[in-house]
Amino acid sequence: MSWIDIGSIEDIPLRGARVVKTKVGCVAVFRTSENEVFATSDRCPHKNGPLSEGIVHGQSVTCPLHNWVFDLNTGVAQGADEGQIDTYPAKVEAGRILLDGTLLMNRAA
Amino acid sequence: MKKKLVVIGAGMASGRALEHLLEADKDAYDITLFNAEPRGNYNRIMLSPVLSGDKTYEEIVTHDANWYEENGVTCRFGEHVVKIDRERKIVVGQNGEVAYDKLLMATGSAPFIIPVPGKDLPGVIAYRDLDDTNTMIEATQKPGAKAVVIGGGLLGLEAAAGLKARGMDVTVLHLMGHLMERQLDEAAGYLLRRALEDKGIEVKCQASTAAILGEDKVEAVLLQDKTTIPADLVVMAVGIRPETRLANDAAIEVERGITVDDAMRTSDPDILAVGECVEHRQQLFGLVAPLYDQAKVVAATLLEEDAVFAPKEVSTKLKVTGCDLFSAGDFAEGEGREDIVFRDPSRGVYKRLVIENNVIVGAVMYGDTADGNWFFGLIKDKTDISDMRDTLIFGPAFQGGEPLDPLQAVAALPDDAEICGCNGVCKSQIVDAVKAGATDLGAVRAQTKASASCGTCTGLVEQLMAVTLGDDFQMPAAQSVCGCTDLTHEDVRRLIKSKELKSQAAVWQELGWNTPNGCHVCRPAVNYYLLADWPVEYQDDPQSRFVNERKHANIQKDGTYSVVPRMWGGMTTPDELRAIADAADKYNVPTVHVTGGQRIDLLGVKGEDLPAIWKDLNDAGMVSGHAYAKGLRTVKTCVGKDHCRFGTQDSTGLGIKLENKLWGSWSPHKVKLAVSGCPRNCAEATCKDIGVVCVDSGYQVGVAGAAGMDVKETERLMDCETEEETIEVATAFMQLYRENAKYLDRPYKWVAKVGLDWVKEQIVENVENRIALVERFELSQSIYQKDPWAELAAPDEAPKFGPLANLTLEAAE
């Protein structure tokens, strides 16, 4: 893995999310109330809702369009809904958010 | 000839290492000890009791001059080490060189000083050593002195408590959302905060320090949100980092700390390191237990014995009288992890165990930590807990007992807690009535009037009856807010008022929420209830709002947004229309639509363009139309008597006045108004939440209409004679709705539950109450009536609408 520093944890509101543009499309980076970070695809498999705009609770996010709930660890939809979002490695070190660049970044030409 | 050992740093770790070394072989080394502080070793952990006055410095000294002399240690105290010359195996001190065969680095850690302007002013200190402690004690001598402690971790809170105990005014600033976030979860953090506030310490979370102000000494702390807090002393306790400068200069391997192997050797085999300055397998150490383990290993390695340092689990306790907390292990949520949570709101007790594969991996406790060490043992020993799982949380003493009572929150209410706000009935009156034979709700209502008016406290009254009657009472099934709680919306609203709960964490803890921080159903509701009931004390939480109210725009199905500027009373001007047209061109708005509420809707705006288009519209004098809000949407009007031959009053003028009064307020659901100039009703006022129909004799105010999923005509609340009275009545109705309705109930649904008669009692018949409602509304407006567009288009807010990073761009470079 090649970890890339994408910003400070303070750039994301507590229990909120921000988007990172990548070669695989928009990736949502979430910050939970325990200051953990998770990175997933920003698109809900149901109707393409932007998950980064959803309400973050525990280690889950609720899609803002139709309230599908996803576990941020596995990306699996909870409850009766069936679907899964992509998840990407993410971690916090010394207050900086690191994402795995091998998956997300274009190789330099 | 004896080998020579040089030790840099006389702290707790090196002190313990020397003890072990001398005990094992007094004559193995000639020892020289450097210490930058002009004194020997003392118990740093006990600085807090020294600060609070419970102990003196003399009581915490562990190694005094005599001890070093008796053990033949040459002390060079108050002397800084300048460098380490590894080639010549020499340590260079300020007063000369010392040769070594083995060198032990115990340089400890340096406090982290946040790089803000003013950090070097006199009166700004860290909290690391005796000198800092003495500076703090000195500062408390001045009568009325104020202290600001930056950092709500272990050290910061101990400093704050110590300063408070010596009579200072203390404010704690903490960057994170709750105190001690590394050791505690949110609920425990809330209880800790409450206990500190009870001691008179002010706590501000999510407080980011912008600067420290002062001419030639510290005078105040300026926060990012522009608040200023006066201060005679500022204590920075935001964290520590290993002191590695000497090691770095000597080209010894350093990551975050000086890297050591299992035998505590650095990359140079003749140099060892111990304590807070080391990094062992990517781990740093700040608590004393592992440092003492390291010290043992250091002594063995120096004597050429085999020893291996293996870090163990550590637990934390706070040394602040009256704040009983315990934390151990890893308590983050995670896949495959389960929580067992126990809350006893009446005693302020919170316990949480985190379990993975039938083993406890973490524990947080507040209020009752008696079982802490037992749980800590289970964590360390990785005990399989499957057999005792059901009763685990009750601790080792549990011998079968009562199952948890879901009614305990109600049972714990004090006798004088107000249950029915309408009729001023407190708990004891209801309990007395039940004991005197009122065994069904109707009888309680008849005797006490509790829940006989608006009825929102019915659930609570029933729970009280259940508590009092036990099995004799059959509780009717009620719909709870969501899976996080058994309480209904009405119960939660009532308890927020009667228990004076003023934060979300307070609601979760005091009302026994069974999730750590709610869900998408309860969070927006609780956030609304708190801001409606405590407009001054509670701070709105954008992360507990649905996307539209956080983005201040309506999200569309393709992820773009719609933008609607406010047009007061449906009036506009050529200049405004030109500005709207320019904005539509500039931001490539694909669709421009006139809404049913007489506004212009720009549909298809990209999320990252929002702040810019708002700025343009703001510059043209327009503010947010709140077309996305659970709050006042539009006031629709007809042209009224100025133009219309049937018009009886100035309906547009009154509409503008109403909109000016009511805009910006949040409510349980959206609220739409209209003012028609005559009974022909061109503004369709008779199917609005609040609708005014002008007649020759004045103004007919109707409420609780609907034209959505249901269609319903308004019901007449009152006939008013003047515009002022009309505005007063409409405002009072808005506030009554804000204070009492269930979240997501439109006014017509709420009025159907409480009855129009009750609403009339509150607003029409009781004029004093009407005025009080208006006053409470105005208080709330003093905080919430502001244009969110202007706030979010500001230079430091606008970038947050764009991506955090763009990894596709870097590739092109």
Side-chain angles (χ1 to χ4, degrees):
Chain A
M1 287 199 221
S2 74
W3 293 105
I4 308 174
D5 184 332
I6 54 144
S8 160
I9 185 143
E10 298 301 319
D11 293 337
I12 305 180
L14 202 64
R15 290 191 288 268
R18 293 282 297 276
V19 157
V20 173
K21 291 189 171 177
T22 77
K23 69 165 181 180
V24 296
C26 282
V27 166
V29 183
F30 298 90
R31 174 183 177 194
T32 69
S33 61
E34 306 291 346
N35 282 310
E36 306 137 315
V37 295
F38 293 95
T40 74
S41 150
D42 191 32
R43 292 282 160 236
C44 178
H46 174 222
K47 300 262 181 176
N48 279 328
L51 297 174
S52 56
E53 298 296 347
I55 287 181
V56 179
H57 47 102
Q59 292 190 318
S60 307
V61 64
T62 299
C63 175
L65 291 195
H66 305 96
N67 289 336
W68 282 37
V69 179
F70 297 92
D71 183 328
L72 295 172
N73 290 285
T74 59
V76 175
Q78 306 292 293
D81 300 320
E82 283 180 27
Q84 187 168 12
I85 48 175
D86 292 332
T87 57
Y88 305 97
K91 63 178 178 180
V92 182
E93 267 182 17
R96 305 296 300 177
I97 303 165
L98 305 178
L99 296 188
D100 179 15
T102 42
L103 289 164
L104 303 176
M105 212 153 85
N106 287 322
R107 264 185 224 108
Chain B
M1 198 177 114
K2 272 209 275 186
K3 284 190 287 182
K4 292 187 280 296
L5 171 67
V6 174
V7 181
I8 305 176
M12 299 180 70
S14 70
R16 185 58 72 94
L18 285 179
E19 268 178 31
H20 285 303
L21 177 67
L22 291 164
E23 212 167 276
D25 186 350
K26 208 168 182 316
D27 302 315
Y29 287 97
D30 261 338
I31 303 170
T32 304
L33 175 61
F34 280 93
N35 197 23
E37 264 188 83
R39 59 182 75 86
N41 186 13
Y42 54 91
N43 186 344
R44 256 164 231 272
I45 303 175
M46 300 310 279
L47 282 175
S48 294
V50 172
L51 175 61
S52 60
D54 295 337
K55 281 203 183 332
T56 62
Y57 168 65
E58 287 68 31
E59 289 176 88
I60 67 165
V61 170
T62 54
H63 301 95
D64 58 14
N66 278 341
W67 186 88
Y68 296 111
E69 202 181 318
E70 277 165 28
N71 286 288
V73 177
T74 312
C75 296
R76 296 180 60 159
F77 289 162
E79 180 176 355
H80 285 267
V81 170
V82 179
K83 73 169 200 172
I84 300 163
D85 186 337
R86 292 206 284 143
E87 229 150 80
R88 293 163 56 217
K89 296 188 88 171
I90 273 175
V91 171
V92 183
Q94 285 169 312
N95 303 331
E97 300 181 347
V98 184
Y100 69 83
D101 295 301
K102 295 280 179 190
L103 173 63
L104 175 60
M105 304 196 63
T107 45
S109 58
F112 186 74
I113 300 293
I114 47 176
V116 290
K119 68 181 166 54
D120 300 319
L121 281 171
V124 181
I125 59 165
Y127 182 28
R128 282 305 290 163
D129 57 26
L130 186 67
D131 295 337
D132 296 331
T133 312
N134 286 335
T135 310
M136 285 157 74
I137 293 171
E138 217 165 275
T140 63
Q141 309 296 318
K142 183 183 149 193
K146 293 178 173 46
V148 170
V149 176
I150 304 178
L154 211 52
L155 207 57
L157 297 183
E158 291 187 4
L163 292 170
K164 185 76 207 176
R166 286 189 180 260
M168 264 185 135
D169 266 356
V170 182
T171 305
V172 174
L173 304 177
H174 191 51
L175 190 58
M176 296 299 177
H178 67 269
L179 296 171
M180 289 181 67
E181 79 287 345
R182 281 167 61 193
Q183 291 88 11
L184 299 183
D185 61 9
E186 214 168 347
Y190 154 74
L191 286 170
L192 173 59
R193 175 183 182 145
R194 202 179 61 175
L196 292 170
E197 286 171 343
D198 286 346
K199 285 179 181 293
I201 297 172
E202 189 164 341
V203 179
K204 283 181 184 288
C205 287
Q206 286 178 302
S208 184
T209 308
I212 296 168
L213 311 176
E215 286 285 322
D216 34 50
K217 66 173 195 51
V218 60
E219 283 162 23
V221 174
L222 174 70
L223 299 184
Q224 217 91 58
D225 68 4
K226 314 281 186 254
T227 330
T228 351
I229 305 164
D232 303 286
L233 175 75
V234 172
V235 181
M236 283 218 199
V238 289
I240 53 171
R241 57 172 174 224
E243 177 55 82
T244 58
R245 281 175 294 184
L246 278 173
N248 259 327
D249 293 348
I252 298 169
E253 192 182 304
V254 171
E255 300 259 352
R256 283 177 300 161
I258 305 170
T259 43
V260 292
D261 62 12
D262 290 349
M264 305 307 295
R265 280 184 299 248
T266 66
S267 58
D268 179 333
D270 287 328
I271 302 181
L272 287 77
V274 69
E276 289 183 330
C277 62
V278 310
E279 175 170 346
H280 175 262
R281 298 187 183 193
Q282 277 92 53
Q283 203 184 338
L284 301 176
F285 303 88
L287 297 173
V288 74
L291 301 194
Y292 282 168
D293 287 344
Q294 292 178 355
K296 253 184 233 167
V297 177
V298 163
T301 305
L302 286 171
L303 295 169
E304 287 166 31
E305 290 161 15
D306 286 336
V308 166
F309 171 62
K312 295 194 196 99
E313 285 287 346
V314 291
S315 64
T316 308
K317 278 193 170 185
L318 181 73
K319 291 180 296 303
V320 174
T321 323
C323 300
D324 216 1
L325 66 82
F326 176 90
S327 133
D330 178 2
F331 50 85
E333 291 172 54
E335 196 185 349
R337 285 192 175 174
E338 300 156 90
D339 285 321
I340 298 179
V341 176
F342 171 85
R343 306 192 198 232
D344 183 344
S346 60
R347 287 195 301 143
V349 170
Y350 170 80
K351 301 181 187 185
R352 174 163 164 235
L353 299 175
V354 183
I355 293 167
E356 190 169 18
N357 299 326
N358 291 321
V359 167
I360 308 179
V361 295
V364 188
M365 290 180 206
Y366 190 93
D368 174 4
T369 57
D371 298 334
N373 286 328
W374 184 69
F375 288 121
F376 187 45
L378 297 179
I379 294 173
K380 279 199 294 193
D381 301 342
K382 301 192 168 41
T383 310
D384 188 314
I385 51 87
S386 19
D387 289 344
M388 47 183 167
R389 195 183 168 102
D390 290 347
T391 57
L392 187 65
I393 193 94
F394 303 111
F398 184 77
Q399 303 288 334
E402 299 284 312
L404 264 186
D405 184 357
L407 298 172
Q408 60 183 347
V410 174
L413 286 172
D415 281 346
D416 58 357
E418 188 183 77
I419 303 295
C420 174
C422 299
N423 296 297
V425 187
C426 69
K427 176 182 168 182
S428 62
Q429 288 171 281
I430 297 168
V431 171
D432 290 347
V434 174
K435 284 181 178 158
T439 53
D440 63 59
L441 187 63
V444 172
R445 270 188 188 156
Q447 288 185 22
T448 66
K449 299 277 179 273
S451 82
S453 295
C454 78
T456 53
C457 61
T458 304
L460 277 183
V461 174
E462 285 169 346
Q463 290 194 14
L464 267 180
M465 295 175 70
V467 167
T468 315
L469 291 170
D471 292 342
D472 296 338
F473 182 74
Q474 198 71 38
M475 179 87 84
Q479 190 88 38
S480 71
V481 175
C482 63
C484 302
T485 175
D486 292 332
L487 297 168
T488 65
H489 279 274
E490 287 76 12
D491 295 343
V492 172
R493 279 219 89 159
R494 171 55 61 196
L495 287 167
I496 283 174
K497 290 184 179 85
S498 68
K499 290 176 80 99
E500 300 196 5
L501 306 177
K502 296 178 182 177
S503 71
Q504 292 200 51
V507 171
W508 302 331
Q509 169 62 23
E510 300 289 344
L511 306 187
W513 243 240
N514 57 32
T515 47
N517 46 48
C519 69
H520 65 270
V521 178
C522 61
R523 279 245 304 279
V526 169
N527 182 56
Y528 168 72
Y529 294 153
L530 288 166
L531 77 82
D533 285 341
W534 312 110
V536 178
E537 295 95 330
Y538 178 71
Q539 204 176 358
D540 180 38
D541 173 25
Q543 300 311 318
S544 295
R545 289 184 171 278
F546 294 120
V547 53
N548 292 350
E549 294 186 334
R550 190 167 356 101
K551 286 283 197 187
H552 292 278
N554 263 322
I555 193 166
Q556 306 296 314
K557 67 177 194 176
D558 63 353
T560 64
Y561 293 86
S562 77
V563 171
V564 182
R566 196 167 279 289
M567 287 178 176
W568 309 93
M571 300 293 280
T572 186
T573 63
D575 281 344
E576 285 186 353
L577 290 172
R578 261 189 290 272
I580 292 170
D582 287 346
D585 276 343
K586 183 169 167 188
Y587 299 98
N588 296 315
V589 171
T591 308
V592 181
H593 177 249
V594 176
T595 72
Q598 301 180 330
R599 307 295 141 104
I600 292 176
D601 192 353
L602 304 174
L603 290 142
V605 180
K606 288 191 234 24
E608 60 257 43
D609 285 341
L610 287 172
I613 191 168
W614 293 341
K615 169 107 189 13
D616 288 3
L617 294 169
N618 273 167
D619 288 347
M622 284 174 276
V623 298
S624 166
H626 288 96
Y628 46 81
K630 302 195 194 324
L632 178 83
R633 293 284 179 93
T634 59
V635 180
K636 192 174 175 180
T637 65
C638 67
V639 295
K641 71 173 181 189
D642 279 2
H643 299 278
C644 175
R645 63 199 164 101
F646 298 115
T648 61
Q649 310 282 354
D650 177 14
S651 54
T652 40
L654 176 57
I656 292 168
K657 284 177 193 156
L658 278 168
E659 193 160 351
N660 267 311
K661 179 91 182 179
L662 300 176
W663 77 281
S665 61
W666 300 98
S667 44
H669 208 309
K670 59 187 169 188
V671 177
K672 295 180 175 178
L673 270 73
V675 184
S676 284
C678 78
R680 287 168 191 76
N681 196 16
C682 293
E684 295 158 344
T686 53
C687 61
K688 296 288 186 259
D689 299 293
I690 304 174
V692 180
V693 176
C694 303
V695 289
D696 275 331
S697 59
Y699 308 84
Q700 300 171 342
V701 181
V703 295
M709 302 263 269
D710 297 304
V711 181
K712 179 177 168 290
E713 191 182 341
T714 49
E715 298 172 61
R716 188 81 61 84
L717 178 63
M718 185 173 165
D719 289 349
C720 299
E721 285 177 16
T722 62
E723 282 194 345
E724 289 67 38
E725 194 180 30
T726 308
I727 293 169
E728 192 176 280
V729 168
T731 306
F733 179 80
M734 182 77 166
Q735 182 66 6
L736 195 66
Y737 168 60
R738 296 180 73 238
E739 288 179 1
N740 291 283
K742 172 185 155 198
Y743 190 65
L744 299 185
D745 262 0
R746 286 286 286 270
Y748 78 97
K749 286 201 171 163
W750 166 68
V751 171
K753 285 179 189 170
V754 300
L756 187 69
D757 286 343
W758 179 76
V759 176
K760 281 184 175 167
E761 265 172 43
Q762 300 295 312
I763 295 174
V764 183
E765 287 150 33
N766 188 339
V767 177
E768 239 170 71
N769 191 53
R770 183 201 306 169
I771 290 164
L773 282 163
V774 171
E775 279 170 359
R776 290 204 290 279
F777 182 78
E778 284 170 350
L779 175 69
S780 170
Q781 287 293 75
S782 70
I783 288 155
Y784 284 101
Q785 191 174 61
K786 57 192 176 186
D787 179 25
W789 288 1
E791 293 197 317
L792 293 171
D796 50 341
E797 289 296 320
K800 296 178 185 166
F801 283 74
L804 178 59
N806 190 338
L807 301 181
T808 57
L809 281 183
E810 281 170 39
E813 281 167 10

